[in-house]
C-alpha cells in the first residue's frame, strides 16, 4: 500500500499543477468580487484589502437576481428533465429495440441537429414562437416557450451521448430482465435507466449549464419582466460601454454556486448508484 | 425473446415526443432558413429570388475562405491538443487513489461558467500592460517577449483557442472518466493476471474499451469547432481585421449587420454541408478502424 | 399502470404540439401587444358604473434600458409613462426591456418583416430606419409634431426624416471630440491644441512623459471610426463624404487618402495604446481614468462615467476640447460631429385611439422639462433646444460649450455609407492600426466595396 502511494507522488504533482492553472482565473474572480472597481483597475492582481460584501448586496439588488434565479431554476430543471426523459426513451428505442430500418433512419436524422449552426435559426424560430399555440394559449412570452426550445436543442447531443452508452450495455442484462417477465418499457425503466445513470447525470449537467447560461433566446421569447431569467441579470453589469467588474464578478459567483452544488450533489449520487449496483452484482 | 423489444406501441411512444419537438422547433426553422438562402433579401422588404447566386458569390468570397480556414485551425488544434490532454488527464485521475473526487470536481468548475464571463476573464489575463500572462513573461524573460495576445493577428486565434480549451476540457474529462470508470473490474483484473500493467494497460485495454466515448468526443469536437460562435464573437468579434473571423461570426455580421439576410442564410447552408461532409468522413474512418480490431 | 399513463401523456403532448403548430401558421395571429385593445389587464378604473366607461387602450413600449448604467434613463421613461397613464383614463402601457443588440439584430427585425412591431420602440436613425420606412412599418409623425408645435424645437431631425416626413423622434444626442486629463496637462505644462501640429506636439510630450497619448480600445470597429471620421472631415469636408454614395467622389481621391495617411501617422508614432486591437470599448475609458492615457477621442456619452466615482482622484480633472483644425484641409475646420440618432419610433399599425394616446406620450416625453432632467441626471445631451442650462455638471458644460462654438455639425460617416462599406472601413482602420496595410491599399479596398454597394442600390 505505502509502496503504491509513494509511486503516485508525481501523478499528484501533475494533477495539482493542472488544477491550479484551471482554477486560478476563478480564484481571481472570487477575489475581485470583494474589491471595488477602482481597486480592480489599479491593483488588478492584488488580494482584496478587506472582505466586504457590498458587491454581493449590489448585485443581488440591482440585478434582481433573486427572482431571476428562481425563473432560471424552473425553466432549467423542467427543460432538463423533459430532455432526459425524451432523449433516454428515444435512445433506448433506437439502440435496443428491434426496428432496424426505422432506427437506422432516425438516428442520423436526429444527429443533423449537431450540425446546424444555431445563429442561422434565430429569426425563423422567433417568428415561429410568436405564431404558435399550446393547448389554446399563445406560447410567446411564457416559460414554456423556453422550455420546449431548450429541450429540442438539447435533444441531439443528449441522444447522441445516451445512444453510445446504451449501445454498450451488455445484452445479458436485458435477457435476464426478459426472463423476469419485463416488457420493453419495464426493461427501460428498471434496467437500462439505472445502468445508464452516470451517462444520464453527465448529460443532465451539460444541459443544465447550457440552459442556465442561455441569453439570446431568453431575450427573444420573454418580454414580461417577471418571467426573465438569470443571464438578463448578469448582462445588467456589462453594457459594452462600461463594465461594472466588481458587481459582475459577485453576480457570476452567485450564478455559478447553484450549478456547482447540483454537480457535486449529482456526482455523489453517481458514486452511490455505482457502489449500490456493484454490491447487488 | 425478441418480442419484448418489438412492441410497436412502446416504440412509437418512445420516439414520437422527440421527433415531434424536433420537427416543430428544429426542422421547420432550418427549412425556412435554407429557403432564405436562395433570395436577395435585407430581412424586411420584399425578397428577390436569385437562385444559386448567393452560393456562387460565396465561392469567391475571400473572407469566407479565411473564416473557413480559421474553423479548420480551430478543429485541428482541438483534435491535436484538447483531446489527447483530456485522455491523459482522465487516465491520471482514474489512477489516482486519493483525492479523485476533488480532481473530478475541480477540473469541471470552468465548464459551469458562461462563455461571456470566460471571454471577460481571459481579456483581463491577456491585457498587454496589466495582464497576468505578460507580467509572468516579463518576470521570467526579457520584457520584449511580452505579446499583444488578442490584437496580434498571428496570436489572436491561438489566444482564443487556449481560452476555449480552458472552458471545454473539463466536460470532456468528466465524460471520458465516466467511461473509464465504467470498464468492468473483472476485465482489468483478468488483464492484470495476464501480466499487463501500467501504461500497457492504458494502450491495450482502456483506449479500445472507451472507443464509443472517444468517438463521441471526436464528433462533438468536429461539429462544435466548425460552428463555434460565442467565444470568438465575444473575445475578438472576428478581429483584428478579420484574422479570427469564423464562419458563424461572418454569417451573423453579413446577415444582421450588413442586412443581407439571404447571403447570411447561404453561409449557414454552406456550413451545414461542410460539417455534414466532415462528420460523414469521421464516421467512415472510425468504422473502418473498428474492423481491424 | 402508472407507466403506461405517462407514456400516453407524453404522446398526447407531442401530438397537441404538432397540431397547434400546423394550425397557427394559417391563423397568423398577432402576438400580445400588437395593439389589441385591453386584452390583458382589466383597468383599475372599472368600478363606477354610472360614468361611461373610458375606452381601454393598450400601448406596448419596447426599450433597451436594461443595464445598471441606464437605470436613470429608465426611471425617467417610467415617470413619463405613469404621467401619461394618469392623464388618459383607460390607457395602459406595457413596458418591455430587452437587450439592445438582440433587439436591433433579431427581434425588431423579425417583427418588422412580419409586420407586427411593438407600438412604440427605440430605433436608430439612418440605415435601419430607411428599411423600416421602405417596408411601410413606421408611423408618419409629421402631423403630430406639427400639431404639438414641437417640430422646430428639436436640435436636428435629419436622421429621422425621409422625403420630408419625420418617422422618429430623438430623445438625446451625442457629440464626439477629445476628453483629456487636466492634471497631466497641468503637470506637463501643456495647453489645449487648436491645430493638428499642436495636437501632435502635445501627444509627443505626453508620450515622452510616459503617458499613452491617446487611449484606444480598437476591438470594435466603430470606436476607431470616431477619431478617423474627424480627421477625414477636416481633409475632405462633409460634401465630399456625402458624395461617395453617388460615386461623385472616391475614397481613393487625394484628400481622402490624406485622411487615412494622417490616421496612420498617429499609429506609426505609437500614440495609441499598445495591444489596443484586443481591447473592448469599456477599457478605453478605464485608461483615461486610471491616469495611463492623457487623452481619449470619444463621444459625450462617456461624460457620465468620467464624472462618476470611478474617476477616483481624477474626479473633476477630466476636460473636453474640440478636434483641432488641419490647415490646408478642404473641410470645415471648426465643425464638430454631433448626432441625434437614438430615438423612438411608432408602429404604422396603430388605430385612432392609440394615436391619440401616443400624442400625449410625445407631449409628455419631448419637452424642455424632461430634456433638462435627462441632461442633469443622466448627462445625456438634449435633442431639443433648451433655454435654461443652469445646474449642469462642469464637464457637460464644457461639452455643450464646445458644441455651441462649433461652426457646423455633421453626422457620423456610418449614417451615410452603406452597411457593407461601413464594415470595410472598420476592417481597413484595424489594418492601419495593426500596421499590416497602407493608406493607399485601404482606400482602394474601401472604394471597391463602395462601388459594389452603389451598384446594388
Amino acid at each position: 500500500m505505502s509502496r503504491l502511494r509513494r509511486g503516485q507522488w508525481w501523478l499528484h504533482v501533475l494533477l495539482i499543477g493542472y488544477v491550479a492553472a484551471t482554477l486560478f482565473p476563478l480564484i481571481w474572480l472570487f477575489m475581485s468580487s470583494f474589491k471595488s472597481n477602482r481597486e480592480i483597475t489599479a491593483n488588478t492582481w492584488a488580494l482584496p484589502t478587506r472582505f466586504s460584501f457590498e458587491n454581493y448586496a449590489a448585485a443581488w439588488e440591482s440585478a434582481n437576481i433573486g427572482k431571476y434565479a428562481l425563473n432560471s431554476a424552473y425553466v432549467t430543471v423542467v427543460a432538463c428533465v423533459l430532455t432526459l426523459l425524451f432523449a433516454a426513451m428515444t435512445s433506448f428505442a433506437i439502440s435496443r429495440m428491434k426496428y432496424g430500418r426505422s432506427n437506422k433512419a432516425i438516428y442520423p436524422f436526429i444527429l443533423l441537429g449537431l450540425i446546424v449552426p444555431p445563429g442561422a435559426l434565430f429569426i425563423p424560430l422567433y417568428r415561429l414562437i410568436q405564431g404558435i399555440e399550446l393547448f389554446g394559449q399563445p406560447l410567446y412570452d411564457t416559460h414554456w416557450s423556453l422550455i420546449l426550445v431548450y429541450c429540442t436543442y438539447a435533444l441531439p447531443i443528449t441522444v447522441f451521448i445516451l445512444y453510445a452508452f446504451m449501445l454498450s450495455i451488455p445484452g445479458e442484462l436485458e435477457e435476464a430482465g426478459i426472463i423476469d417477465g419485463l416488457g420493453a418499457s419495464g426493461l427501460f425503466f428498471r434496467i437500462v435507466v439505472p445502468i445508464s445513470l452516470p451517462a444520464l447525470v453527465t448529460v443532465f449537467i451539460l444541459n443544465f449549464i447550457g440552459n442556465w447560461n442561455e441569453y439570446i433566446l431568453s431575450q427573444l421569447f420573454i418580454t414580461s419582466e417577471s418571467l426573465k431569467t438569470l443571464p438578463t441579470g448578469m448582462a445588467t453589469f456589462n453594457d459594452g460601454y462600461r463594465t461594472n467588474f466588481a458587481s459582475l464578478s459577485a453576480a457570476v459567483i452567485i450564478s455559478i454556486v447553484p450549478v456547482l452544488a447540483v454537480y457535486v450533489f449529482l456526482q455523489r449520487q453517481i458514486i452511490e448508484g455505482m457502489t449500490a449496483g456493484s454490491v447487488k452484482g | 425473446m425478441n418480442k419484448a423489444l418489438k412492441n410497436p406501441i412502446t416504440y412509437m411512444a418512445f420516439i414520437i415526443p422527440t421527433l415531434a419537438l424536433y420537427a416543430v422547433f428544429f426542422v421547420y426553422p432550418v427549412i425556412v432558413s435554407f429557403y432564405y438562402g436562395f433570395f436577395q433579401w435585407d430581412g424586411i422588404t420584399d425578397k428577390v429570388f436569385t437562385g444559386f447566386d448567393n452560393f456562387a458569390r460565396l465561392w469567391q468570397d475571400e473572407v469566407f475562405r479565411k473564416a473557413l480556414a480559421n474553423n479548420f485551425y480551430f478543429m485541428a488544434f482541438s483534435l491535436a491538443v484538447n483531446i489527447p490532454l483530456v485522455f491523459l488527464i482522465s487516465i491520471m485521475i482514474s489512477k489516482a487513489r486519493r483525492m479523485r473526487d476533488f480532481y473530478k470536481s475541480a477540473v469541471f468548475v470552468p465548464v459551469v461558467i458562461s462563455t461571456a464571463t470566460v471571454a471577460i476573464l481571459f481579456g483581463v489575463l491577456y491585457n498587454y500592460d496589466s495582464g497576468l500572462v505578460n507580467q509572468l513573461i516579463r518576470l521570467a524573460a526579457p520584457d520584449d517577449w511580452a505579446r499583444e495576445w488578442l490584437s496580434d493577428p498571428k496570436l489572436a486565434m491561438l489566444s482564443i483557442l487556449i481560452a476555449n480549451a480552458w472552458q471545454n476540457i473539463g466536460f470532456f474529462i468528466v465524460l471520458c472518466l465516466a467511461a473509464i470508470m465504467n470498464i468492468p473490474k473483472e476485465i482489468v483484473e483478468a488483464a492484470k493476471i495476464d501480466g499487463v500493467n501500467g501504461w500497457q494497460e492504458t494502450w491495450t485495454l482502456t483506449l479500445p474499451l472507451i472507443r464509443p466515448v472517444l468517438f463521441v468526443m471526436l464528433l462533438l469536437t468536429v461539429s462544435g469547432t466548425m460552428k463555434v460562435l460565442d467565444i470568438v464573437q465575444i473575445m475578438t468579434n472576428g478581429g483584428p481585421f478579420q484574422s479570427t473571423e469564423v464562419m458563424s461570426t461572418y454569417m451573423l455580421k453579413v446577415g444582421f449587420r450588413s442586412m443581407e439576410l439571404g447571403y447570411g442564410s447561404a453561409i449557414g447552408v454552406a456550413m451545414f454541408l461542410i460539417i455534414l461532409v466532415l462528420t460523414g468522413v469521421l464516421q467512415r474512418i472510425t468504422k473502418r478502424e473498428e474492423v481491424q480490431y | 399502470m402508472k407507466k403506461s399513463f405517462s407514456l400516453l401523456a407524453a404522446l398526447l403532448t407531442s401530438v397537441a404540439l404538432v397540431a397547434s403548430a400546423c394550425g397557427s401558421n394559417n391563423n397568423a395571429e398577432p402576438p400580445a401587444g400588437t395593439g389589441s385593445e385591453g386584452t390583458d389587464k382589466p383597468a383599475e378604473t372599472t368600478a363606477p358604473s354610472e360614468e361611461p366607461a373610458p375606452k381601454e387602450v393598450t400601448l406596448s413600449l419596447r426599450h433597451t434600458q436594461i443595464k445598471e448604467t441606464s437605470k436613470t434613463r429608465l426611471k425617467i421613461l417610467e415617470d413619463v409613462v405613469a404621467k401619461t397613464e394618469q392623464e388618459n383614463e383607460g390607457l395602459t402601457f406595457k413596458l418591455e426591456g430587452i437587450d439592445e443588440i438582440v433587439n436591433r439584430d433579431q427581434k425588431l427585425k423579425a417583427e418588422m418583416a412580419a409586420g407586427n412591431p411593438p407600438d412604440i420602440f427605440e430605433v436608430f436613425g439612418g440605415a435601419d430606419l430607411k428599411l423600416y420606412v421602405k417596408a411601410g412599418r413606421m408611423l408618419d409623425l409629421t402631423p403630430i409634431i406639427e400639431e404639438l408645435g414641437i417640430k422646430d424645437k428639436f436640435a436636428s431631425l435629419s436622421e429621422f426624416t425621409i422625403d420630408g416626413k419625420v418617422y422618429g423622434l430623438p430623445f438625446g444626442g451625442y457629440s464626439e471630440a477629445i476628453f483629456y486629463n487636466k492634471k497631466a496637462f497641468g503637470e506637463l505644462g501643456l495647453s489645449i491644441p487648436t491645430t493638428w501640429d499642436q495636437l501632435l506636439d502635445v501627444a509627443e510630450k505626453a508620450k515622452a512623459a510616459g503617458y499613452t497619448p491617446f487611449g484606444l480600445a480598437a476591438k470594435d470597429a466603430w470606436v476607431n471610426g470616431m477619431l478617423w471620421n474627424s480627421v477625414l472631415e477636416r481633409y475632405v469636408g462633409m460634401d465630399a463624404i456625402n458624395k461617395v454614395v453617388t460615386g461623385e467622389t472616391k475614397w481613393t481621391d487625394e484628400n481622402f487618402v490624406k485622411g487615412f495617411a494622417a490616421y496612420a501617422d498617429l499609429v506609426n508614432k505609437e500614440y495609441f495604446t499598445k495591444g489596443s486591437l484586443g481591447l473592448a470599448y469599456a477599457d478605453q475609458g478605464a485608461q483615461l481614468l486610471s491616469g495611463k492615457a492623457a487623452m481619449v477621442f470619444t463621444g459625450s456619452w462617456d461624460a457620465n462615467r468620467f464624472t462618476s466615482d470611478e474617476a477616483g482622484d481624477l474626479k473633476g480633472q477630466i476636460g473636453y476640447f474640440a478636434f483641432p483644425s488641419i490647415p490646408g484641409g478642404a473641410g470645415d475646420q471648426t465643425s464638430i460631429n454631433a448626432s441625434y440618432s437614438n430615438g423612438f419610433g411608432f408602429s404604422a399599425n396603430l388605430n385612432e385611439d392609440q394615436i391619440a394616446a401616443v400624442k400625449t406620450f410625445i407631449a409628455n416625453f419631448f419637452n424642455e422639462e424632461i430634456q433638462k432632467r435627462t441632461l442633469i441626471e443622466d448627462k445625456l445631451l438634449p435633442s431639443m433646444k433648451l433655454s435654461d442650462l443652469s445646474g449642469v455638471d462642469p464637464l457637460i458644460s464644457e461639452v455643450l460649450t464646445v458644441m455651441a462654438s462649433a461652426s457646423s455639425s455633421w453626422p457620423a460617416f456610418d449614417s451615410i455609407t452603406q452597411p457593407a462599406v461601413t464594415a470595410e472601413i472598420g476592417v481597413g482602420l484595424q489594418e492601419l492600426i495593426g500596421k499590416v496595410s497602407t493608406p493607399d491599399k485601404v482606400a482602394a479596398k474601401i472604394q471597391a466595396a463602395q462601388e459594389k454597394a452603389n451598384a446594388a442600390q
Side-chain angles (χ1 to χ4, degrees):
Chain A
M1 198 59 196
S2 64
R3 187 178 58 90
L4 284 172
R5 213 177 290 156
R6 217 177 299 139
Q8 282 205 316
W9 67 268
W10 59 271
L11 191 78
H12 288 284
V13 168
L14 286 176
L15 280 173
I16 286 178
Y18 176 78
V19 166
T22 303
L23 292 187
F24 174 78
L26 291 160
I27 293 168
W28 175 75
L29 190 75
F30 183 68
M31 291 301 167
S32 299
S33 71
F34 297 104
K35 295 178 173 179
S36 69
N37 273 315
R38 185 93 197 139
E39 271 181 278
I40 294 173
T41 327
N43 307 307
T44 314
W45 307 103
L47 288 173
T49 47
R50 75 226 136 89
F51 275 84
S52 92
F53 286 85
E54 274 165 38
N55 292 334
Y56 286 88
W60 189 268
E61 271 167 36
S62 62
N64 220 342
I65 282 182
K67 191 170 68 184
Y68 289 163
L70 278 181
N71 288 336
S72 270
Y74 171 70
V75 169
T76 303
V77 170
V78 175
C80 285
V81 169
L82 270 187
T83 309
L84 272 201
L85 181 70
F86 290 169
M89 292 192 317
T90 304
S91 306
F92 171 75
I94 61 178
S95 68
R96 313 298 306 192
M97 292 183 77
K98 313 286 185 202
Y99 290 92
R101 204 180 294 164
S102 146
N103 291 347
K104 261 189 199 135
I106 293 172
Y107 178 65
F109 177 61
I110 292 178
L111 285 204
L112 287 184
L114 288 175
I115 287 172
V116 172
L121 305 181
F122 290 145
I123 285 187
L125 199 57
Y126 175 57
R127 291 182 69 170
L128 174 72
I129 291 289
Q130 274 208 326
I132 215 168
E133 284 184 6
L134 183 64
F135 299 122
Q137 296 288 319
L139 197 55
Y140 181 60
D141 196 25
T142 62
H143 280 153
W144 276 96
S145 64
L146 287 181
I147 290 170
L148 291 174
V149 172
Y150 286 172
C151 178
T152 308
Y153 284 79
L155 281 172
I157 190 171
T158 312
V159 167
F160 181 53
I161 291 174
L162 291 181
Y163 177 85
F165 268 83
M166 288 185 184
L167 261 192
S168 65
I169 295 173
E172 297 86 46
L173 287 171
E174 245 163 29
E175 282 161 28
I178 292 168
I179 289 163
D180 286 350
L182 293 177
S185 55
L187 285 175
F188 173 68
F189 284 106
R190 299 263 180 90
I191 296 184
V192 173
V193 167
I195 290 181
S196 313
L197 208 61
L200 286 169
V201 167
T202 311
V203 285
F204 182 88
I205 293 167
L206 176 73
N207 294 333
F208 191 97
I209 295 162
N211 298 349
W212 187 257
N213 290 331
E214 202 286 324
Y215 181 60
I216 293 184
L217 292 176
S218 158
Q219 285 287 315
L220 282 176
F221 299 165
I222 303 292
T223 65
S224 300
E225 180 59 27
S226 59
L227 297 179
K228 295 211 156 147
T229 57
L230 196 57
T232 308
M234 303 283 109
T236 307
F237 301 112
N238 187 15
D239 75 352
Y241 292 97
R242 202 171 157 185
T243 304
N244 183 345
F245 210 97
S247 298
L248 181 69
S249 49
V252 170
I253 299 287
I254 295 175
S255 81
I256 60 181
V257 166
V259 191
L260 281 182
V262 167
Y263 175 71
V264 171
F265 172 77
L266 286 178
Q267 209 197 10
R268 198 159 292 161
Q269 295 298 109
I270 313 177
I271 293 158
E272 272 168 22
M274 289 201 312
T275 41
S278 66
V279 169
K280 230 188 259 164
Chain B
M1 193 68 203
N2 277 350
K3 250 190 193 155
L5 290 171
K6 223 173 158 43
N7 179 339
I9 295 173
T10 313
Y11 187 73
M12 294 305 273
F14 275 17
I15 59 168
I16 282 179
T18 299
L19 291 183
L21 279 176
Y22 204 62
V24 176
F25 295 112
F26 181 75
V27 176
Y28 169 73
V30 166
I31 292 171
V32 172
S33 162
F34 273 35
Y35 171 75
Y36 291 162
F38 294 93
F39 290 87
Q40 187 189 334
W41 190 35
D42 54 29
I44 291 146
T45 50
D46 292 338
K47 303 192 239 328
V48 181
F49 182 79
T50 53
F52 285 91
D53 281 9
N54 282 334
F55 298 94
R57 177 175 159 196
L58 197 61
W59 191 249
Q60 300 181 338
D61 187 337
E62 272 174 44
V63 181
F64 180 76
R65 256 181 258 166
K66 172 79 191 161
L68 181 63
N70 276 333
N71 277 108
F72 273 106
Y73 179 22
F74 215 112
M75 183 175 81
F77 183 92
S78 299
L79 289 176
V81 178
N82 295 12
I83 301 258
L85 197 61
V86 164
F87 185 65
L88 193 72
I89 292 169
S90 306
I91 292 284
M92 279 163 57
I93 296 179
S94 76
K95 286 200 186 299
R97 288 187 176 73
R98 295 175 140 209
M99 307 210 298
R100 200 187 289 159
D101 280 352
F102 165 74
Y103 292 136
K104 237 169 121 178
S105 302
V107 297
F108 192 74
V109 178
V111 183
V112 307
I113 298 171
S114 70
T115 309
T117 310
V118 171
I120 295 175
L121 274 178
F122 275 79
V124 176
L125 284 170
Y126 285 139
N127 189 294
Y128 178 78
D129 278 325
S130 60
L132 194 75
V133 179
N134 277 347
Q135 292 203 359
L136 290 179
I137 289 174
R138 289 187 190 111
L139 271 183
D143 272 9
D144 59 349
W145 284 28
R147 287 286 176 270
E148 303 174 34
W149 295 101
L150 284 172
S151 59
D152 183 334
K154 290 193 201 78
L155 293 172
M157 202 66 204
L158 183 69
S159 307
I160 294 173
L161 286 168
I162 291 168
N164 181 64
W166 180 83
Q167 185 191 16
N168 285 333
I169 278 183
F171 174 70
F172 279 11
I173 290 178
V174 170
L175 203 66
C176 193
L177 205 53
I180 294 174
M181 306 306 276
N182 243 13
I183 295 174
K185 295 249 169 6
E186 300 81 42
I187 298 182
V188 181
E189 297 297 318
K192 280 204 174 129
I193 292 167
D194 289 348
V196 176
N197 57 13
W199 291 108
Q200 231 179 325
E201 175 195 321
T202 304
W203 290 118
T204 58
L205 207 66
T206 316
L207 201 56
L209 281 173
I210 63 163
R211 284 190 80 84
V213 170
L214 281 180
F215 176 67
V216 167
M217 285 170 24
L218 285 178
L219 199 132
L220 289 182
T221 302
V222 169
S223 69
T225 52
M226 293 310 279
K227 57 179 196 184
V228 61
L229 169 66
D230 324 27
I231 193 138
V232 179
Q233 194 177 31
I234 308 172
M235 287 192 82
T236 62
N237 198 15
F241 34 89
Q242 301 188 306
S243 60
T244 59
E245 203 79 79
V246 289
M247 292 189 287
S248 286
T249 54
Y250 188 52
M251 171 179 79
L252 293 190
K253 273 183 200 167
V254 167
F256 298 134
R257 271 298 141 84
S258 301
M259 303 198 191
E260 296 187 272
L261 199 64
Y263 189 47
S265 297
I267 297 176
V269 175
M271 284 177 69
F272 174 81
L273 295 176
I274 292 167
I275 306 172
L276 190 67
V277 169
L278 285 176
T279 47
V281 168
L282 183 71
Q283 226 143 356
R284 268 278 163 83
I285 295 173
T286 44
K287 267 214 188 102
R288 195 178 300 153
E289 275 189 9
E290 229 148 333
V291 180
Q292 294 171 350
Y293 280 86
Chain C
M1 221 25 229
K2 226 158 97 199
K3 256 163 255 154
S4 54
F5 173 74
S6 64
L7 289 184
L8 200 67
L11 199 69
L12 281 177
T13 314
S14 51
V15 170
L17 251 176
V18 174
S20 62
C22 297
S24 63
N25 280 337
N26 310 331
N27 295 347
E29 207 172 317
T34 347
S36 45
E37 282 159 66
T39 40
D40 301 84
K41 278 189 207 160
E44 303 89 39
T45 49
T46 44
S49 54
E50 308 95 69
E51 291 172 35
K55 228 176 194 177
E56 286 185 13
V57 178
T58 313
L59 283 174
S60 54
L61 192 161
R62 162 98 41 88
H63 64 85
T64 60
Q65 313 303 329
I66 61 167
K67 308 289 181 174
E68 189 195 24
T69 41
S70 48
K71 285 214 159 131
T72 330
R73 205 174 293 178
L74 178 60
K75 181 76 184 55
I76 295 170
L77 178 64
E78 283 170 346
D79 287 350
V80 169
V81 162
K83 189 179 168 205
T84 313
E85 279 180 338
Q86 246 171 22
E87 288 172 2
N88 296 270
E89 238 178 313
L91 173 64
T92 319
F93 279 90
K94 281 183 68 186
L95 258 61
E96 176 204 349
I98 74 157
D99 186 271
E100 183 184 326
I101 293 166
V102 174
N103 185 48
R104 190 179 179 184
D105 282 356
Q106 280 123 21
K107 198 159 178 157
L108 190 59
K109 204 162 271 180
E111 289 161 344
M112 284 291 175
N116 58 5
D119 301 329
I120 307 175
F121 46 89
E122 280 181 29
V123 67
F124 283 95
D128 290 18
L129 186 84
K130 258 179 230 159
L131 268 186
Y132 302 157
V133 170
K134 205 168 144 197
R137 306 285 189 241
M138 305 292 293
L139 182 70
D140 176 10
L141 302 171
T142 327
I144 295 179
I145 53 174
E146 272 168 4
E147 189 191 321
L148 293 172
I150 54 172
K151 195 178 177 191
D152 304 322
K153 299 260 173 79
F154 285 93
S156 164
L157 288 173
S158 62
E159 291 181 62
F160 290 95
T161 308
I162 294 171
D163 296 333
K165 289 178 181 168
V166 179
Y167 292 96
L169 299 173
F171 50 72
Y174 61 82
S175 179
E176 293 164 6
I178 298 171
F179 288 90
Y180 70 105
N181 179 339
K182 286 183 176 171
K183 213 163 124 191
F185 269 52
E187 278 165 18
L188 302 177
L190 299 172
S191 52
I192 290 174
T194 55
T195 66
W196 179 249
D197 288 336
Q198 286 174 10
L199 182 71
L200 295 184
D201 186 51
V202 163
E204 193 58 45
K205 284 178 179 149
K207 191 184 160 198
Y211 288 96
T212 304
F214 296 99
L216 180 67
K219 188 181 103 180
D220 300 305
W222 63 270
V223 184
N224 317 322
M226 291 191 285
L227 171 55
W228 166 79
N229 199 170
S230 282
V231 175
L232 187 75
E233 191 281 333
R234 295 287 189 260
Y235 273 108
V236 303
M238 270 327 280
D239 190 46
I241 297 178
N242 281 320
K243 281 179 177 158
V244 291
V245 290
T246 57
E248 290 168 77
T249 53
K250 288 190 165 61
W251 292 97
T252 45
D253 291 348
E254 195 192 345
N255 279 340
F256 279 89
V257 178
K258 272 188 196 162
F260 286 107
Y263 192 76
D265 198 31
L266 297 179
V267 174
N268 292 331
K269 291 188 161 131
E270 313 276 343
Y271 288 163
F272 291 125
T273 310
K274 199 143 167 70
S276 64
L277 286 167
L279 300 177
Y281 178 71
D283 202 88
Q284 181 172 296
Q287 291 168 32
L288 183 69
L289 293 183
S290 65
K292 283 179 195 153
M295 298 175 276
V296 291
F297 186 103
T298 192
S300 55
W301 56 82
D302 260 345
N304 201 347
R305 179 183 187 186
F306 293 159
T307 51
S308 73
D309 289 339
E310 198 195 333
D313 39 325
L314 284 179
K315 205 169 174 178
Q317 294 290 324
I318 305 293
Y320 186 77
F321 63 83
F323 193 76
S325 60
I326 297 181
D332 180 352
Q333 298 303 323
T334 50
S335 65
I336 193 165
N337 161 273
S339 275
Y340 301 90
S341 57
N342 295 41
F344 275 116
F346 302 82
S347 166
N349 298 337
L350 299 184
N351 63 34
E352 265 177 48
D353 296 324
Q354 288 176 313
I355 292 180
V358 155
K359 217 176 280 175
T360 54
F361 171 77
I362 291 178
N364 286 334
F365 194 81
F366 294 96
N367 55 48
E368 273 210 32
E369 183 199 336
I370 293 295
Q371 287 278 312
K372 179 80 192 287
R373 190 177 154 199
T374 315
L375 175 64
I376 303 266
E377 291 176 19
D378 196 32
K379 305 193 170 63
L380 179 68
L381 298 188
S383 59
M384 298 171 84
K385 298 159 192 160
L386 297 185
S387 46
D388 163 38
L389 285 173
S390 57
V392 174
D393 177 273
L395 180 56
I396 287 288
S397 274
E398 282 187 49
V399 173
L400 291 171
T401 312
V402 165
M403 281 179 81
S405 49
S407 49
S408 65
S409 74
W410 38 269
F413 72 93
D414 55 1
S415 71
I416 297 160
T417 54
Q418 298 89 335
V421 179
T422 305
E424 197 61 56
I425 293 171
V427 173
L429 293 180
Q430 283 198 337
E431 285 177 343
L432 291 180
I433 295 170
K435 300 181 192 167
V436 296
S437 191
T438 63
D440 289 308
K441 278 191 206 152
V442 167
K445 251 174 89 181
I446 295 171
Q447 182 56 30
Q450 185 69 59
E451 276 160 23
K452 222 158 93 189
N454 290 353
Q457 266 169 352

